[in-house]
Amino acid sequence: MKYRLKGGQGPTPPALDPYSQLNEQQLAAVTAEASPVLIIAGAGSGKTRTLVSRAAHLMLKGTPPSRILMVTFTQKAAREMKDRVEALLGPAARSIWAGTFHHIGHRFLRNYAESLGFSKEFNIVDREDATDFLHAILTDLKVGPPVTAKKAASVFNMAQALQESLESVVLRRFPGLKDHVDVLEHLRKEYQARKSRQGVLDYDDLLLYWREILVSPAGEELRSHFDHVLVDEYQDTNAIQGEIVDLMAMDHRSITVVGDDAQAIYGFRGASPRNILSFTDRYPDAQVFRLEVNYRSSQEILDIANSVIAASPRVLKKTLVSHRGPGMKPVLISAYDQVQEAMFVCQRLWELHTEEGIPLNEIGVLYRAHHLGVQVQVELSKRGIPFKIFGGVKLFEQAHFKDLMSYIRVRRRPSDQIAVVRLFRIEPGLGRSTARTVASFLEQTPLEDTIHPFLDVRMLSMLGSRQKGRLHELGQFLAGLPEEPRPLMEAILTRYEPHLQRMYDDSDERLQDLRQLVEIAGQYSDLDELLADLGLEYGPSSENILEPPDEKIEDQVTLTSIHQAKGLEWTAVFLVGLYDGALPSTYSLSDLDAVEEERRILHVALTRAKDHLYITYPVLSPEGRKGRYFQRVSRFLEKIPADMYEKWELEVEE
């Protein structure tokens, strides 16, 4: 049998018009002449469609796809852009260079490594491996806290992102390490030397050496491979990334950047809106286009978002206009405290689900910091409403929560081997070996009627003098714990806090979570009730959560920080904890740049909502070390015209 091929042509490109789906603003940006182009793309304005269509336009104008470089911040976004260009113009688009900064830098270094003096067969260590690498060096140098591997890695990464000295970065962003700059300088030199000897590079090196290629004699050859450079999410670039982009485009000057300075919220990673704000200074002949038609939100939601960001002294002016038209006004709710706030959120979102038919997965609860959502997690668990934490895990599944609970578990059931092992890992001087000895004794030996089994003379006699003293002291602590939930939790947290600081680099954030848990415990008179509402099976003795894993539940409310929410959208959004001191955060108030980033964080949060937006804050603070105090709504909302939103007052049924 013979099979006849019908010619040597490849598949016919799809008959799609890359211009037909564009609005007037998008079309102008897409068809601009090859030159420096700045596209200021407001939230929900179709920036990805515009950038993809721009690439397709350049190809239709005769540019081979292999001579187009598209850079973004995630591989998923890069694949999406490439796939969408291919959908427009067919398989030829596959040869476009598209990827993250690190991905593209890696590809270049494989070709140009030898020009920089090292082998192209280098290996790459990821963030986790780099931290392990630094930990080994710290051990060899006999350096301990507060200099840890994770903190050192963060300092080095920030110094490179900002292109600043270690001393400058430490003084501004890591003040707790200000007396250890010399140690960090020595550590970085040793780290670089060991990487060189072992032929490895870390992620920061990929950008550092990409820039080195561009300023070396090989730079002209590298740049000559491309006629156009397109950059997505340009507001999120840092100093070295901005420099790389400018160097890549320095010969042909066909550079298109798309971004929104009003959504620049990643300063903690070293990103800065300076690159986008100064673009026309560096390129005085740049063409500037604004995408202001929003396809996501109702005009009422956009009115508030526009008003918040317009008050910034440092913003590229634009006004978002809804393509969808008018809708419901946003609602502002001042609750008595966090308990009442959480009750409102859970009741109202359930009404939206059951009475208005909004799927739970179309409802988002957003907050500035995770501890602001702890009370909502507890309330959702009490009501049996399924939820997931986007970009993280529920508090009840996190290590510091399980650490805290291990004290309660061992107090009530000393034979709980999982809890004993966890607790003894926390407590200095005990450890796994002692835990096994104690667990074996408790399993095999009938106990006398003692205050606590850890005080049993027979058990203590099996241990060395150091372990014996530690266990006896721990037993006395557990036996002396009060019965009331709040005093009990406060006592445990006081004991656990030094261990928390020792074990976790992000201990301050974890401590805020646990203080919120102490506040929640104050709502209960019975410990078993508290544990049941936290969703623990059989009180505190189980390591697992009652509800099935998130991936098995299709319809769930999403709880997320605002940073994690960027790029996402929901039909209904509840923005909780919007009081002064949370947003803007207290830590930002002494720095104008930081305050303005907080304003942009709020703008991002507001523009996640399509139809329903509820903004809540508690008037009374949680019980803290300074007692309770009154809170006011975020200063960013104080000057918003009152006719832009409805204000609801909460009433409690008797």
Side-chain angles (χ1 to χ4, degrees):
M1 174 180 172
K2 293 184 179 181
Y3 183 85
R4 179 173 293 181
L5 295 176
K6 299 178 181 179
Q9 297 295 323
T12 303
L16 295 179
D17 181 357
Y19 311 110
S20 62
Q21 300 299 313
L22 303 177
N23 64 35
E24 185 177 340
Q25 293 175 338
Q26 295 167 338
L27 182 62
V30 165
T31 58
E33 291 297 319
S35 66
V37 172
L38 169 62
I39 305 174
I40 304 167
S45 63
K47 68 174 182 59
T48 302
R49 176 192 299 170
T50 303
L51 196 65
V52 164
S53 297
R54 174 75 170 159
H57 171 75
L58 294 172
M59 288 175 60
L60 290 174
K61 283 289 191 179
T63 301
S66 61
R67 297 188 65 80
I68 297 174
L69 175 63
M70 302 182 74
V71 190
T72 187
F73 282 87
T74 68
Q75 281 299 101
K76 179 181 178 182
R79 285 193 299 270
E80 180 188 354
M81 289 193 301
K82 203 168 182 178
D83 290 345
R84 288 174 67 169
V85 178
E86 182 178 350
L88 292 172
L89 298 183
R94 293 173 187 168
S95 55
I96 284 178
W97 283 63
T100 66
F101 279 92
H102 294 95
H103 172 76
I104 297 293
H106 177 213
R107 291 182 66 180
F108 289 155
L109 286 184
R110 289 296 179 193
N111 294 329
Y112 289 92
E114 293 175 352
S115 71
L116 297 175
F118 57 87
S119 170
K120 64 181 180 180
E121 303 303 323
F122 63 85
N123 290 320
I124 299 174
V125 292
D126 61 21
R127 301 288 187 202
E128 185 177 351
D129 291 339
T131 301
D132 291 342
F133 208 145
L134 285 166
H135 180 74
I137 299 173
L138 285 170
T139 301
D140 293 344
L141 297 177
K142 295 182 171 56
V143 174
V147 179
T148 64
K150 191 170 182 179
K151 286 182 180 177
S154 297
V155 172
F156 299 160
N157 177 260
M158 187 64 69
Q160 169 146 312
L162 298 175
Q163 292 294 282
E164 294 181 7
S165 68
L166 285 186
E167 183 177 17
S168 173
V169 168
V170 167
L171 291 177
R172 288 198 300 112
R173 298 191 179 235
F174 302 89
L177 299 175
K178 66 180 187 305
D179 296 328
H180 304 275
V181 173
D182 290 343
V183 173
L184 290 167
E185 292 279 12
H186 180 60
L187 175 61
R188 184 163 69 168
K189 288 179 182 177
E190 181 62 24
Y191 177 53
Q192 297 288 12
R194 292 198 189 187
K195 284 191 297 179
S196 179
R197 289 197 298 270
Q198 296 186 28
V200 300
L201 303 178
D202 62 23
Y203 284 167
D204 289 345
D205 292 329
L206 298 178
L207 301 187
L208 178 68
Y209 288 123
W210 182 1
R211 185 185 62 182
E212 280 202 28
I213 296 170
L214 290 170
V215 298
S216 74
E220 184 177 356
E221 179 188 341
L222 174 57
R223 292 192 298 272
S224 70
H225 289 294
F226 302 97
D227 295 328
H228 307 282
V229 176
L230 286 70
V231 186
D232 190 23
E233 302 286 7
Y234 188 61
Q235 79 281 346
D236 292 335
T237 54
N238 58 36
I240 192 170
Q241 290 165 338
E243 188 177 351
I244 286 171
V245 169
D246 287 342
L247 287 169
M248 286 296 295
M250 66 181 292
D251 297 334
H252 53 70
R253 299 184 80 254
S254 177
I255 173 175
T256 299
V257 299
V258 180
D260 182 8
D261 58 302
Q263 297 187 72
I265 62 171
Y266 295 119
F268 65 93
R269 297 180 187 167
S272 169
R274 290 190 184 93
N275 287 331
I276 192 169
L277 292 173
S278 65
F279 189 82
T280 54
D281 295 332
R282 300 194 314 280
Y283 300 96
D285 58 334
Q287 302 177 73
V288 180
F289 301 91
R290 287 174 170 79
L291 307 185
E292 299 174 301
V293 179
N294 176 284
Y295 291 88
R296 176 187 302 145
S297 306
S298 67
Q299 189 59 53
E300 284 75 5
I301 291 171
L302 296 181
D303 286 342
I304 282 191
N306 286 331
S307 184
V308 165
I309 204 65
S312 173
R314 307 174 183 182
V315 66
L316 298 171
K317 299 297 183 183
K318 63 182 174 305
T319 302
L320 294 174
V321 178
S322 176
H323 184 262
R324 299 174 50 211
M328 297 178 62
K329 283 187 177 182
V331 181
L332 178 65
I333 301 99
S334 58
Y336 174 72
D337 57 13
Q338 287 184 320
V339 177
Q340 192 180 74
E341 179 183 40
M343 290 174 63
F344 166 76
V345 169
C346 295
Q347 179 176 312
R348 184 58 184 151
L349 71 82
W350 191 246
E351 289 171 350
L352 292 174
H353 175 59
T354 57
E355 297 174 13
E356 301 195 26
I358 299 176
L360 292 179
N361 59 22
E362 275 293 320
I363 300 174
V365 180
L366 278 55
Y367 34 73
R368 173 65 178 86
H370 281 291
H371 71 90
L372 297 170
V374 171
Q375 183 72 61
V376 178
Q377 289 190 46
V378 172
E379 190 66 26
L380 287 168
S381 296
K382 286 170 63 175
R383 296 174 183 239
I385 301 174
F387 68 96
K388 63 181 178 181
I389 309 295
F390 181 77
V393 296
K394 299 174 182 177
L395 171 64
F396 318 137
E397 300 169 357
Q398 294 183 41
H400 54 297
F401 173 79
K402 292 182 177 181
D403 289 345
L404 196 75
M405 295 308 298
S406 67
Y407 286 92
I408 298 176
R409 291 169 57 177
V410 173
R411 174 179 179 263
R412 298 181 60 167
R413 193 177 298 176
S415 59
D416 183 344
Q417 293 189 31
I418 294 175
V420 169
V421 169
R422 189 171 200 102
L423 180 57
F424 282 25
R425 187 194 65 186
I426 298 168
E427 290 280 334
L430 294 176
R432 292 182 182 274
S433 177
T434 306
R436 286 194 292 269
T437 300
V438 169
S440 176
F441 175 86
L442 291 172
E443 186 177 342
Q444 300 174 19
T445 308
L447 296 174
E448 302 289 339
D449 186 18
T450 58
I451 297 175
H452 192 278
F454 289 178
L455 302 176
D456 190 281
V457 175
R458 293 168 297 169
M459 178 191 293
L460 294 172
S461 67
M462 301 171 60
L463 305 176
S465 58
R466 184 166 180 264
Q467 287 80 13
K468 183 187 300 183
R470 293 283 190 182
L471 185 60
H472 186 271
E473 190 275 330
L474 176 59
Q476 288 182 317
F477 169 75
L478 294 174
L481 284 172
E483 291 294 329
E484 299 82 3
R486 181 177 186 125
L488 178 143
M489 294 289 246
E490 284 178 331
I492 292 174
L493 183 55
T494 298
R495 183 182 182 91
Y496 175 59
E497 185 173 343
H499 309 319
L500 179 76
Q501 301 282 358
R502 173 174 53 86
M503 293 188 297
Y504 299 106
D505 284 308
D506 58 347
S507 57
D508 290 343
E509 295 175 18
R510 293 175 186 261
L511 183 59
Q512 285 183 308
D513 288 344
L514 297 179
R515 284 178 178 159
Q516 186 63 46
L517 197 61
V518 170
E519 176 71 13
I520 291 169
Q523 303 162 28
Y524 294 82
S525 58
D526 183 85
L527 183 60
D528 285 331
E529 289 183 14
L530 169 63
L531 298 173
D533 283 349
L534 293 180
L536 300 180
E537 187 176 11
Y538 306 121
S541 64
S542 173
E543 192 78 359
N544 298 314
I545 306 300
L546 259 178
E547 63 191 21
D550 288 340
E551 60 268 19
K552 294 183 180 179
I553 306 175
E554 293 184 0
D555 201 19
Q556 304 175 90
V557 176
T558 300
L559 275 64
T560 178
S561 71
I562 299 170
H563 282 95
Q564 293 284 349
K566 186 171 177 289
L568 303 177
E569 59 185 38
W570 293 270
T571 298
V573 165
F574 291 80
L575 179 54
V576 303
L578 207 71
Y579 59 88
D580 227 48
L583 186 62
S585 70
T586 303
Y587 304 108
S588 71
L589 298 180
S590 60
D591 184 336
L592 180 58
D593 286 341
V595 170
E596 288 309 308
E597 178 157 321
E598 296 286 298
R599 185 192 303 278
R600 297 192 294 268
I601 290 171
L602 176 56
H603 178 79
V604 167
L606 297 172
T607 53
R608 299 309 95 197
K610 298 178 185 177
D611 300 320
H612 301 267
L613 175 61
Y614 297 89
I615 302 169
T616 69
Y617 71 100
V619 173
L620 196 62
S621 76
E623 182 80 41
R625 292 176 176 174
K626 298 180 180 179
R628 307 190 82 170
Y629 52 88
F630 290 107
Q631 301 173 143
R632 64 188 178 95
V633 71
S634 169
R635 64 189 62 189
F636 299 141
L637 289 181
E638 282 185 330
K639 296 183 180 180
I640 301 297
D643 61 357
M644 284 190 176
Y645 57 84
E646 292 184 17
K647 192 165 185 178
W648 289 6
E649 295 183 4
L650 302 183
E651 296 179 352
V652 180
E653 291 184 357
E654 296 296 334

